[in-house]
Every structure is written in structure tokens, then in C-alpha cells.
Amino acid sequence: MPGSFDPVTLGHLDVVRRAAEMFDEVVVAVATNVAKRPLLPAAERVALVAAAVAGLPRVRAAEAPGLLVDFCREVGATAIVKGLRSGGDYDAELPMAWMNRHLGVETVFLPADPAVAHIASSLVKDVARHGGRIDDLVPPGVAAVVRARLAQEGT
Ligand code: PNS
């Protein structure tokens, strides 16, 4: 399950949990989205994902810095899992799924649970940037790290 995870949210975690019930193993891959400038360094994003999935059997976090399908081959992944919150997500994800299929790896889409479908990493950061409460949108420990990074960014 690849993504930027900047930061990991309860929406991501819901998809991870459900994917873990469908697959032998789930690798949550912190990958590079060239269209985004992340708030958190990759190592920090991996550490937060690792902490969030620590209690989930057969789930682990890893950094996938290059081409996603190369990482899939490295870890023996048979499918890419992505969560979809909306038609907008689908429009963005479909070309990537087509391309990754062309490159040899199929994608499985899971519809977001409506209870967490309002959660997007970009919105979480925006709420935090403006002083709003994000603690109930992200796994434990993540909100403090985001706030600390935002404070650093502002200095
Ligand atoms: O959480 P995001 O930012 O929507 O995730 C997008 C991501 C990181 C999964 C995507 O940009 C990606 O797969 N990057 C790795 C490089 C790659 O394989 N690019 C070709 C994708 S078809």
C-alpha cells in the first residue's frame, strides 16, 4: 500500500487494516510523489507509519524511494492497494493504476469507510497550520510530530 503518508492518518490506517484481512502481508510503502513537497522527511513518515501499524499482524512499514513497481518486485508484492474517498481520487488514481498494470503490477481499490472519508493528509496539515485540533484524525503521536514540524517551518 503506497502513499506519501505526510502524515499517516486514521483513513490510511483503516485501509491498511482491511487490506491485512485480504492479503498474506501488507507493506505500507512510503513512496515519492514528485508533485508534492512533503512537510515531514521520509524517515519520519516511515517511523510514524511503523508506529501506527506496530500492533497489526503481518503489516510493516518501509521506504520505497524509486519506481513503485520495482519496490513491489523487491518485496514480492502481487498487488498495489489504494483507498478511494471520492470520484476525484478515482480520477487521479486510475492513470497510475493503468501505468502500474502496464509495468506489471495490478492495483486493488478499497472504498474509504465513510466514517473517515473526510480525512486527507493535506487537510490535516491545513487544519493544524491554522491552529485546529488534528488529534482525532491521526494515529497517536502523529499530531505532536506534525505540530513540531509546522512550528519549525514557521521559524
Ligand atoms: O499519497 P499519494 O501522494 O497520493 O501517493 C502517490 C504515490 C507516492 C503512490 C505515487 O506518486 C507513486 O507511486 N510514486 C512512486 C514513483 C512511481 O512509481 N511513479 C509512477 C506511478 S504510475
Side-chain angles (χ1 to χ4, degrees):
M1 178 177 160
S4 298
F5 302 106
D6 186 46
V8 63
T9 69
L10 295 185
H12 293 132
L13 210 51
D14 175 63
V15 177
V16 172
R17 277 203 192 93
R18 288 158 61 202
E21 289 177 11
M22 300 172 67
F23 295 96
D24 298 332
E25 186 189 1
V26 176
V27 182
V28 185
V30 176
T32 307
N33 183 339
V34 289
K36 292 179 181 170
R37 199 178 69 85
L39 171 70
L40 308 174
E44 196 157 43
R45 286 179 274 146
V46 174
L48 291 177
V49 172
V53 303
L56 300 177
R58 298 172 292 100
V59 180
R60 66 184 169 94
E63 190 176 349
L67 192 64
L68 184 61
V69 293
D70 287 344
F71 178 80
C72 290
R73 280 192 196 101
E74 228 173 83
V75 299
T78 51
I80 294 164
V81 175
K82 288 280 189 91
L84 294 180
R85 290 163 301 201
S86 63
D89 275 358
Y90 182 72
D91 288 345
E93 294 293 341
L94 188 58
M96 286 194 267
W98 278 331
M99 182 55 74
N100 285 323
R101 180 167 183 246
H102 171 82
L103 297 171
V105 187
E106 288 279 11
T107 297
V108 173
F109 291 128
L110 288 183
D113 183 327
V116 289
H118 59 296
I119 306 176
S121 297
S122 54
L123 292 179
V124 165
K125 286 179 285 190
D126 199 42
V127 170
R129 254 188 200 108
H130 293 91
R133 186 182 148 75
I134 60 165
D135 302 67
D136 52 356
L137 302 172
V138 292
V142 173
V145 173
V146 169
R147 282 193 287 264
R149 278 283 166 194
L150 286 172
Q152 246 181 18
E153 203 182 48
T155 58

